Amino acid sequence: MKILMVCLGNICRSPLAEGILRHLSDQRSLGWEIDSAGTGNWHVGHPPDPRSVKVAGLHGIDISGLRGRQFQAEDFDTFDRIFVMDLDNYRDVLRKARSDADRGKVQLLLEHQQPVPDPWYDDALFEPVYKLIFSACERIVRNS
Ligand code: 4NP
């Protein structure tokens, strides 16, 4: 299974999601390939936000080596499932879809159309965002 996590900047939420899902996949020897990308291009080549690196580290997950990249249409060819953090990401990813098969790969990470809040402007959101993403990744692993 190849899974892509997508947010806006690829420095706060989706690197956390990538690190967490890789951690859970490795624990269970699932052999999944996991990556992340942003719909925007401001942080291409940048490491994750230090606040995401910190909260992941507090939970025993090292995401410091990840680097930002922008989502591209070819990602639909590479990945089986594409999880987006919010409805803006959903719209931006679907805009690049070329077929119903592409569109069918995309879903929100959380259930019930809930967004993962963007913690960029609020330091206090990183821990709750970590927990939301962790629960969602546990559900993905459990249901696969
Ligand atoms: P992310 O958060 O989408 O979770 O990576 C953001 C990071 C950077 C910006 C916005 C959101 N920005 O405007 O640069």
Side-chain angles (χ1 to χ4, degrees):
M1 177 98 80
K2 295 185 182 175
I3 297 179
L4 182 66
M5 299 293 192
V6 177
C7 64
L8 175 60
N10 193 207
I11 56 167
C12 294
R13 294 166 292 177
S14 60
L16 274 178
E18 176 183 350
I20 291 168
L21 190 60
R22 180 174 295 120
H23 174 76
L24 295 176
S25 165
D26 287 351
Q27 271 186 340
R28 292 160 181 74
S29 302
L30 297 176
W32 290 358
E33 284 183 36
I34 299 149
D35 193 8
S36 64
T39 56
N41 65 1
W42 313 283
H43 299 287
V44 171
H46 296 182
D49 186 288
R51 297 165 295 178
S52 284
V53 173
K54 182 175 175 195
V55 74
L58 289 171
H59 292 276
I61 298 175
D62 180 8
I63 61 167
S64 63
L66 303 183
R67 293 295 178 266
R69 74 169 180 89
Q70 189 172 24
F71 178 81
Q72 51 189 10
E74 291 71 29
D75 286 318
F76 288 113
D77 300 324
T78 305
F79 294 95
D80 305 303
R81 303 178 76 181
I82 298 171
F83 289 100
V84 296
M85 302 296 135
D86 63 35
L87 287 172
D88 285 341
N89 309 151
Y90 190 76
R91 184 199 59 212
D92 291 339
V93 167
L94 283 196
R95 197 179 285 135
K96 294 200 164 133
R98 305 149 303 178
S99 66
D100 284 344
D102 286 355
R103 281 181 277 278
K105 295 182 175 186
V106 187
Q107 63 188 107
L108 283 164
L109 180 64
L110 302 188
E111 292 177 298
H112 312 303
Q113 299 289 97
Q114 289 300 305
V116 177
D118 188 342
W120 176 251
Y121 294 108
D122 187 350
D123 295 353
L125 276 180
F126 280 82
E127 178 67 28
V129 158
Y130 177 91
K131 291 204 167 87
L132 279 174
I133 293 174
F134 191 89
S135 299
C137 289
E138 279 191 315
R139 177 171 45 80
I140 292 167
V141 165
R142 197 166 52 239
N143 294 341
S144 295

